[in-house]
Amino acid sequence: MRLAIDCDGVLRDFIGSVKRVVARECPEYKDQLDKLPENWDFITWLTFWTEEEAEDFIFVKHYYDIFVNADPYPEAIEDWPILKEWSVKNNHDLVLVSAQRNQTVNATSEWIGINKFDFRELHYIREKWRVDVDILVDDNMKKLKSFKEKSVASGDAICFKQPWNTELHNSYWTIDRLSDIIDLVENRL
């Protein structure tokens, strides 16, 4: 079985890293960073900037710091060796499928290496449904919906629970942490 795992929002705390860099570089906005994102639309949680200003800050001026120095979710670090051992024992492949922009691909690959997420394959693609995998674990509502509808392998979409995807929790298999994949694969899918 080929198990695809997203990066941002599943392994890497991208939003926390953006907030960290904004607080450091633009301290005048620090008090406005408490809002919990309800989606991936930057201007809903970076309300002090236009979309263009947010894009410039995140993906041009500070992308390397944001993407390479981001914290991994602690549960991802804890669970990775468990998931890796289980996948090897059961002949499953762990594959990264992440919708990175061109300028963030190398920074993301560097981050994956630093944090020792040793995937069999790395796929950087916006249309995740095009990757031949049996399962996609993702936090992005749009990516999950398109994978569920169009997966080239008729794969299963699993929602990694985050505050910005609560409306999907009743219509998808959901997990709170990576090791929950094991139970889903062994007992439910």
Side-chain angles (χ1 to χ4, degrees), residues 91-115:
N91 202 30
H92 299 312
D93 292 330
L94 299 178
V95 178
L96 178 84
V97 178
S98 183
Q100 298 297 317
R101 297 173 187 214
N102 290 338
Q103 70 271 31
T104 64
V105 167
N106 289 339
T108 297
S109 294
E110 185 175 340
W111 182 89
I112 288 166
I114 289 167
N115 290 285

Side-chain angles (χ1 to χ4, degrees), residues 111-170:
W111 182 89
I112 288 166
I114 289 167
N115 290 285
K116 300 182 180 12
F117 291 111
D118 52 334
F119 288 96
R120 179 171 300 271
E121 300 168 17
L122 304 177
H123 296 269
Y124 296 111
I125 185 170
R126 288 209 180 287
E127 296 171 325
K128 296 179 181 186
W129 56 269
R130 292 184 181 271
V131 181
D132 184 9
V133 293
D134 301 293
I135 291 173
L136 171 67
V137 177
D138 208 311
D139 64 300
N140 185 298
M141 293 186 293
K142 291 178 184 173
K143 302 297 183 193
L144 288 165
K145 287 178 183 179
S146 66
F147 186 84
K148 187 176 185 178
E149 294 169 0
K150 302 177 187 176
S151 169
V152 296
S154 299
D156 289 303
I158 298 175
C159 177
F160 190 86
K161 288 183 181 178
Q162 289 289 9
W164 50 86
N165 63 28
T166 56
E167 68 187 63
L168 298 180
H169 294 182
N170 293 326

